[in-house]
Amino acid sequence: MAEEIRKSIDPTSLRLIEKAKEENLETIWDRRQNQQPQCGFGIAGVCCRICVMGPCRITKKASRGICGATADIIGARNFARMVAAGTAAHSDHARDIVLLLRDLSTGKASDFKIQDPEKLKKLAREFGVETDNKDIMKIARDLSEKALAEFGQQEGELTLKNRAPEKTKEMWRKEGLLPRGIDREITEMMHRTNIGVDNDPLNIIRQAMRVALIDGWAGSMIATDLSDVIFGSPQPIRGRANIGILEKDEVNIIVHGHDPTVSDMIVRAARDPEMIAKAREAGAQGINLGGICCTATEILMRHGIPVAGNFLQQELVIITGAVDLMVVDIQCILPGLIDVAKCFHTEIVTTSEKAQFQGAKYVHFDHSDALATAKKIVEMAIERFKHRDPGKIEIPPETQNFIGGFTAENIFHFLGGRYRATYRPLNNAIMEGRLRGVAAIVGCNHPGLTQDLFHVTIARELLRHDILVVETGCSATACAKWGLLSPEAAMEYAGEGLREICEAVGIPPIIHSGSCVDNSRILVALSNMVSEGGLGDAISDIPVAACAPEWMSEKAVTISLYAVASGIYVDMSPQFQLGGCEWVLKFLTEDIEKMTGGKFAFKLDPVAIAQGMIEHIDKKREALKLRPMMYPVREIAVEV
Ligand code: SF4
Ligand code: MSK
């Protein structure tokens, strides 16, 4: 990936990359260039530094590491450790949300409220908590204790796997994939991948699958559901996307990261009349809030706060010179932000003890003092506004309107109508050939690939084949910027069958389902499709496929593996760094299908990725003996 590529399809990003160049500012693309050529052993997955007899690399001359590990053992261990790290990230995020619920229930987080008591009760019942005639705070406390217990559980099964179809659970039990406890499986994975412990690549990957299932069916699912309980269950809502959402005359605050705890409170503080008055006193016309990465989607879904951009735009948003303060929480936050911010008046504020940056200001965020802390951060932004250099400001004007805020529950109502909450119309549309199937596009941005190109091209290819697309995280932001998340996009891009459905129901052809932890919503929606009937008995029977183009994070590895372990076909581009590990690659792309019904593909070109997904969906349609597609494929160009 050393050759120069087009950096982005987004004119806003391209203009700000140019501005960075003019002003001699270093960005992620420059640092990537400075890293060329990147290590071939690392890319092939055959480099090991697990013990200090190494580092060892597998070559033609040396087919084993010093301890005797083969390329496949080394590759499987590296892969499994990525899965453990990704799972740890989402599960630790979940733990923090559970602890917030506990504090809220005991009165230690009085600025927060239970926004969705009905969801709290439903979830409590799933966890075996009695809810009849019980005080809501007592229910919250009991639920938080039950949820916390799943982290330290040593034996047995985790609660929310019960949402999966029976046949999928049977497969997990038969294959020994059901996780026993959240922390236990992650710790065991790290143990097993020490030198001289688990040296069977199959056994290592089997445990990696068990770890990944924790993410999808426990950690992420708990984080998503409890976020709905505490911050409110999303409803379809209008949003705007791209850096053009910045306001030249207002105090601009960007929230960035993943945990909604801080950002939700910042929304409240920024809307406080006292704060707005202070901003006016400082010469601003108001306070403008925007988001980057998944924190953006969390506050978009619940408050309609605009999305400033996805992963590769975090430095660029500062390069506009118009961001007064960026407040970050956890995950996907580039250390490089600090150097960029130094060239402007922008303050970077960290709020998590777990995620600190030299050169940033740390503001301790405590549940007991949340709103006051958020106001303090907003006041810091107002102060920084006074130090703006108008000569440095350039805000590219592009923004796009879109709709976000779909969940496994509200799409149920949308599809079935207010009085008939059911997935029946969706299943029927697939069974009668109006819809070919459903596809999930998730994933990040990667500086080695043209920003947003894969997301947008794949989405367009799927839409014209009558496939309903669900997106989360940075993928949803990519397609939102390109106008694909508006109901009108169905006219322009969807096949005839999909267009009919979008028009009848009033939904966009791409359903925005939230942040990367919210991929768990997709698992719930697929389970609901199975229980509705007519599309098989397991998740692996449904005409569904997924991909994570432009991915870069360990969390994406984990998400993809829990999807495959749940029975879904997943294309990953770029390919896992396993090119030198023949057995592991063959297992992940072929043999794993006999075990779970899902498998990986690693196609390099966006149209080929979409076509692989379509072929898989058609294979599932054939196995279910569904009717032929009602309409011919729409002939429209998809290249961007
Ligand atoms: Fe080398 Fe084996 Fe140590 Fe890895 S574990 S660094 S292959 S000796
Ligand atoms: S933020 S994990 S770059 S989606 Fe969730 Fe975006 Fe990927 Fe981070």
Side-chain angles (χ1 to χ4, degrees):
M1 293 200 294
E3 75 286 358
E4 269 286 324
I5 51 145
R6 181 160 57 129
K7 292 190 173 66
S8 180
I9 56 168
D10 178 2
T12 295
S13 292
L14 289 171
R15 172 59 208 134
L16 290 167
I17 293 168
E18 201 50 42
K19 181 171 189 268
K21 205 161 148 196
E22 287 158 15
E23 294 176 15
N24 227 0
L25 301 173
E26 188 184 81
T27 63
I28 190 167
W29 288 275
D30 304 308
R31 292 189 296 273
R32 181 177 177 277
Q33 198 53 42
N34 296 342
Q35 285 293 334
Q36 302 308 314
Q38 284 172 285
C39 173
F41 296 102
I43 291 170
V46 294
C47 167
C48 182
R49 44 187 297 276
I50 273 173
C51 86
V52 295
M53 291 190 284
C56 299
R57 320 180 295 188
I58 301 303
T59 63
K60 277 204 182 98
K61 182 180 120 221
S63 63
R64 288 175 180 263
I66 293 170
C67 65
T70 60
D72 285 312
I73 296 174
I74 291 172
R77 282 196 306 221
N78 290 340
F79 175 73
R81 285 193 165 202
M82 288 186 90
V83 173
T87 305
H90 279 162
S91 299
D92 206 36
H93 171 167
R95 188 195 325 268
D96 286 342
I97 305 282
V98 181
L99 290 173
L100 173 60
L101 181 71
R102 193 189 60 181
D103 283 355
L104 195 164
S105 71
T106 54
K108 286 190 202 142
S110 54
D111 290 333
F112 295 92
K113 281 201 181 68
I114 303 288
Q115 301 282 359
D116 191 341
E118 287 315 309
K119 185 150 185 175
L120 172 78
K121 286 185 203 159
K122 186 173 167 285
L123 196 58
R125 285 193 290 271
E126 282 187 84
F127 274 85
V129 172
E130 182 57 56
T131 57
D132 288 347
N133 304 320
K134 204 161 154 187
D135 175 65
I136 199 78
M137 288 304 176
K138 176 76 174 101
I139 297 173
R141 185 149 77 243
D142 291 351
L143 173 60
S144 69
E145 273 159 21
K146 288 268 187 190
L148 273 183
E150 301 234 322
F151 289 82
Q153 183 172 294
Q154 300 304 316
E155 279 161 356
E157 296 176 356
L158 297 174
T159 305
L160 295 181
K161 58 101 188 44
N162 288 333
R163 292 178 176 180
E166 269 317 312
K167 204 172 147 200
T168 302
K169 281 186 286 191
E170 266 169 39
M171 175 272 287
W172 288 335
R173 282 198 192 99
K174 178 171 151 271
E175 298 295 343
L177 299 178
L178 267 181
R180 296 156 292 185
I182 295 173
D183 292 345
R184 172 170 187 179
E185 303 302 356
I186 298 168
T187 306
E188 186 172 315
M189 189 79 265
M190 295 308 286
H191 172 199
R192 286 197 197 194
T193 50
N194 265 239
I195 174 176
V197 185
D198 201 345
N199 287 306
D200 174 358
L202 173 59
N203 211 37
I204 294 169
I205 292 175
R206 203 186 275 277
Q207 173 64 10
M209 288 159 78
R210 182 145 70 165
V211 173
L213 286 172
I214 286 173
D215 183 354
W217 295 90
S220 284
M221 214 171 255
I222 291 173
T224 293
D225 279 35
L226 287 186
S227 293
D228 287 353
V229 167
I230 299 171
F231 306 111
S233 291
Q235 291 300 325
I237 192 164
R238 278 193 186 281
R240 278 189 311 139
N242 219 340
I243 288 175
I245 62 100
L246 293 179
E247 296 290 349
K248 195 158 70 59
D249 303 321
E250 296 189 17
V251 175
N252 287 309
I253 303 175
I254 294 289
V255 294
H256 176 16
H258 284 78
D259 183 338
T261 310
V262 175
S263 51
D264 209 83
M265 222 22 89
I266 298 274
V267 174
R268 256 173 82 181
R271 287 175 174 173
D272 186 301
E274 184 198 334
M275 291 295 119
I276 295 169
K278 284 191 178 179
R280 293 210 169 115
E281 272 165 39
Q285 295 198 347
I287 301 173
N288 180 42
L289 203 53
I292 291 276
C293 278
C294 285
T295 284
T297 61
E298 297 278 359
I299 57 171
L300 154 80
M301 303 243 295
R302 299 192 174 93
H303 303 288
I305 301 293
V307 176
N310 47 5
F311 177 71
L312 279 179
Q313 288 176 293
Q314 57 186 288
E315 291 173 312
L316 302 181
V317 75
I318 293 176
I319 289 168
T320 60
V323 174
D324 303 297
L325 184 141
M326 179 184 275
V327 53
V328 304
D329 49 79
I330 47 164
Q331 302 169 14
C332 299
I333 303 148
L334 296 178
L337 282 179
I338 306 294
D339 289 334
V340 177
K342 272 188 202 145
C343 304
F344 297 89
H345 71 297
T346 313
E347 185 94 80
I348 308 279
V349 171
T350 63
T351 50
S352 168
E353 279 174 5
K354 299 172 193 172
Q356 308 245 346
F357 297 70
Q358 281 185 343
K361 197 157 267 174
Y362 173 57
V363 175
H364 181 71
F365 191 90
D366 198 279
H367 294 163
S368 64
D369 204 18
L371 186 58
T373 311
K375 284 185 181 174
K376 184 172 149 193
I377 294 170
V378 172
E379 281 175 345
M380 287 165 73
I382 295 170
E383 188 52 37
R384 293 314 299 166
F385 174 83
K386 298 176 191 162
H387 299 272
R388 267 194 199 178
D389 178 350
K392 282 189 173 178
I393 295 179
E394 179 182 343
I395 306 172
E398 296 86 10
T399 63
Q400 266 293 348
N401 293 332
F402 69 99
I403 310 251
F406 293 95
T407 65
E409 293 91 349
N410 70 29
I411 192 75
F412 214 83
H413 283 272
F414 256 85
L415 292 165
R418 178 179 276 272
Y419 302 107
R420 206 168 70 89
T422 166
Y423 275 67
R424 194 71 257 155
L426 174 63
N427 284 23
N428 282 351
I430 294 174
M431 289 161 71
E432 68 203 16
R434 196 177 299 275
L435 266 191
R436 190 177 298 266
V438 179
I441 312 180
V442 303
C444 316
N445 282 153
H446 188 300
L449 298 168
T450 305
Q451 186 203 12
D452 299 344
L453 173 75
F454 278 56
H455 295 291
V456 171
T457 314
I458 294 168
R460 285 168 52 163
E461 181 67 5
L462 294 172
L463 295 182
R464 80 182 184 95
H465 280 84
D466 286 314
I467 293 173
L468 180 69
V469 174
V470 183
E471 290 195 321
T472 58
C474 292
S475 182
T477 301
C479 288
K481 287 187 285 174
W482 208 258
L484 293 173
L485 268 63
S486 64
E488 301 77 46
M491 287 290 286
E492 204 170 337
Y493 300 106
E496 188 80 355
L498 175 58
R499 188 177 56 76
E500 281 174 7
I501 291 169
C502 292
E503 282 176 1
V505 182
I507 53 171
I510 299 184
I511 303 295
H512 187 331
S513 283
S515 63
C516 38
V517 291
D518 290 338
N519 285 316
S520 60
R521 296 190 199 275
I522 301 174
L523 297 178
V524 175
L526 294 176
S527 302
N528 291 343
M529 287 171 74
V530 173
S531 45
E532 189 63 54
L535 294 176
D537 302 321
I539 291 176
S540 58
D541 294 336
I542 310 176
V544 63
C547 63
E550 305 180 35
W551 72 276
M552 61 84 210
S553 161
E554 286 160 325
K555 291 178 291 170
V557 181
T558 308
I559 292 166
S560 66
L561 188 60
Y562 76 58
V564 169
S566 302
I568 303 169
Y569 168 104
V570 183
D571 193 298
M572 297 295 281
S573 179
Q575 183 186 299
F576 292 141
Q577 294 178 327
L578 288 169
C581 313
E582 209 181 315
W583 182 91
V584 177
L585 267 190
K586 181 173 173 300
F587 178 77
L588 293 176
T589 53
E590 294 175 23
D591 305 339
I592 199 170
E593 194 174 16
K594 290 180 210 106
M595 198 188 264
T596 70
K599 66 175 180 177
F600 284 101
F602 304 111
K603 299 190 194 295
L604 299 174
D605 163 81
V607 174
I609 292 171
Q611 279 164 358
M613 295 166 75
I614 295 162
E615 271 166 36
H616 184 82
I617 286 172
D618 283 345
K619 192 173 91 181
K620 295 294 167 185
R621 291 187 63 85
E622 224 178 285
L624 290 167
K625 300 193 171 40
L626 302 183
R627 285 193 213 151
M629 291 302 293
M630 219 174 243
Y631 300 107
V633 175
R634 190 168 167 196
E635 291 302 329
I636 36 175
V638 296
E639 277 78 17
V640 183

